[in-house]
Amino acid sequence: MQAVTFDGHGGTGVIDYRTVPEPDLGADDVLVDVRAGALNHLDVWTRRGMPGIDLSMPHVPGSDAAGVVSAVGASVTRFEPGDRVAVLAGVSCGQCEFCRHGEPALCASFRVLGEHVPGVHSERAAVPADNLIAVPEHVDWETAAAAPLVFQTAWRMLNTRADVSPGESVLVLGASGGVGHAAVQIAAHAGAEVFATASTEQKLQYAAELGADHVVNYTETNFADEIRARTGKRGVDVVVDHVGEATWDDSLRSLAKGGRLVTCGATTGGRPETNVQRVFWNQLDILGSTMATPGEADAALEHVWDGTFDVRIRDVLPMRETARAHELLENREGFGKVVVKPDNELD
């Protein structure tokens, strides 16, 4: 079968689309004929060589995909051939104290498909049954592939970790990206007043269409100064920051007293300086968040499947052009998710 691979870390030139062995199907696994995959910034960092992660090469990337079940392992009862499914990328042990209490992302052996272990950007993928969710017939493959990781992540950030209430104000940074465009919609759905940042007028327009009440072009003005000016120097109740080092100080400056900063990533670097005096004097909460529990993922994706949330897709490419897909993310071209489809799905 054909799969996206890389043999070493580096620029987009390390990416190849080539023949690899068929996946082994374990007793608890489901073999999925992949109809579409989707990229996340996680794929870029993994390809570059994320510190602390030692991959077996060649590595198949990809944390998001959707397709049709073609075979099931001997112990699988939830799915059968012909079922439509999408991938939930987090793999945990299922037995430790965190897994038993419904927090698998805190599991000491937590791994992510495509990041720590082989991913799903291939013609076929063997995926643990626990990492699949059913996809209704009316949902197209591009949407099913693009939604899971970002919508479950943003759902947990806003509804569980930040516990956003109706009438509160939320600032979403990088509203044109996967997590960002999901967070705008989830915050609006929660009844919040939504502020969103992006780098172009077109991206700001898209953010407004998805539910942002106020938009800020961060290339033209300092977003923290703008937020404070628009809120009468009060600030917002919640900031969603997945950017990291480049925005961290301004994110803290954007918060009202008693506000919450929730973060799921750091695309510009993970070691920012923190004004600790601002944190304790303003009694701010800094909340980390990773992916979601199965129940949170189900809740988020139900809203995708029924059309409440809109999955914006900036481009659909054949898997042989995955290098170009990475460039779209790295260069911040467009609004929403980038989808790749196996070449045999485009014939």
Side-chain angles (χ1 to χ4, degrees):
M1 70 169 186
Q2 299 291 107
V4 178
T5 66
F6 54 80
D7 286 317
H9 298 298
T12 57
V14 303
I15 299 171
D16 194 9
Y17 188 61
R18 65 183 182 186
T19 301
V20 300
E22 293 285 341
D24 294 326
L25 185 67
D28 297 316
D29 293 339
V30 171
L31 186 65
V32 179
D33 285 339
V34 175
R35 301 298 172 84
L39 272 76
N40 301 280
H41 273 282
L42 177 61
D43 296 297
V44 173
W45 287 106
T46 302
R47 183 253 300 163
R48 290 178 179 174
M50 190 181 297
I53 297 180
D54 184 19
L55 297 177
S56 175
M57 299 291 180
H59 180 69
V60 177
S63 303
D64 269 331
V68 178
V69 173
S70 61
V72 300
S75 300
V76 175
T77 58
R78 289 179 57 219
F79 299 102
E80 60 185 27
D83 286 348
R84 293 163 51 91
V85 294
V87 173
L88 302 176
V91 181
S92 59
C93 74
Q95 300 174 353
C96 69
E97 61 174 310
F98 298 110
C99 290
R100 291 198 307 271
H101 288 90
E103 292 290 353
L106 295 175
C107 173
S109 61
F110 186 75
R111 297 292 183 268
V112 179
L113 297 172
E115 179 183 2
H116 308 91
V117 293
V120 291
H121 286 175
S122 53
E123 289 181 339
R124 287 172 291 284
V127 181
D130 288 344
N131 288 86
L132 295 173
I133 187 170
V135 176
E137 288 287 340
H138 70 273
V139 178
D140 64 76
W141 292 122
E142 292 82 359
T143 296
L149 189 59
V150 295
F151 275 88
Q152 66 170 303
T153 297
W155 183 273
R156 178 174 175 82
M157 291 176 78
L158 287 159
N159 289 326
T160 303
R161 300 293 288 144
D163 192 20
V164 172
S165 300
E168 288 194 305
S169 51
V170 175
L171 168 62
V172 178
L173 302 188
S176 65
V179 169
H181 94 292
V184 166
Q185 296 178 74
I186 292 169
H189 185 261
E193 180 182 12
V194 182
F195 296 78
T197 72
S199 60
T200 69
E201 292 307 311
Q202 184 181 47
K203 291 178 181 179
L204 294 173
Q205 179 182 339
Y206 286 147
E209 290 175 1
L210 294 179
D213 302 291
H214 315 276
V215 294
V216 178
N217 187 325
Y218 66 81
T219 67
E220 297 178 352
T221 184
N222 177 275
F223 72 82
D225 292 342
E226 192 70 16
I227 292 300
R228 300 198 67 80
R230 296 194 192 188
T231 59
K233 298 184 179 180
R234 177 187 182 273
V236 295
D237 297 299
V238 175
V239 173
V240 175
D241 187 333
H242 49 92
V243 181
E245 196 169 303
T247 56
W248 191 256
D249 187 61
D250 284 331
S251 290
L252 292 174
R253 287 206 303 124
S254 299
L255 285 170
K257 290 182 181 294
R260 294 98 76 196
L261 188 158
V262 60
T263 177
C264 68
T267 57
T268 62
R271 297 183 179 274
E273 291 187 4
T274 299
N275 185 336
V276 178
Q277 289 175 309
R278 185 187 306 280
V279 173
F280 69 69
W281 190 252
N282 290 339
Q283 301 191 47
L284 305 179
D285 290 329
I286 297 175
L287 305 167
S289 190
T290 300
M291 295 193 182
T293 67
E296 291 163 342
D298 287 343
L301 292 174
E302 279 299 319
H303 289 294
V304 174
W305 305 154
D306 70 13
T308 301
F309 298 148
D310 180 17
V311 183
R312 289 293 175 96
I313 295 173
R314 68 182 85 174
D315 212 340
V316 179
L317 299 170
M319 281 189 178
R320 69 176 180 274
E321 296 181 20
T322 295
R324 172 58 183 150
H326 277 236
E327 291 173 356
L328 288 169
L329 267 65
E330 289 181 298
N331 299 333
R332 296 181 173 86
E333 299 177 42
F335 188 100
K337 296 276 287 185
V338 179
V339 170
V340 290
K341 302 186 75 171
D343 286 28
N344 63 355
E345 288 295 316
L346 298 170
D347 293 339

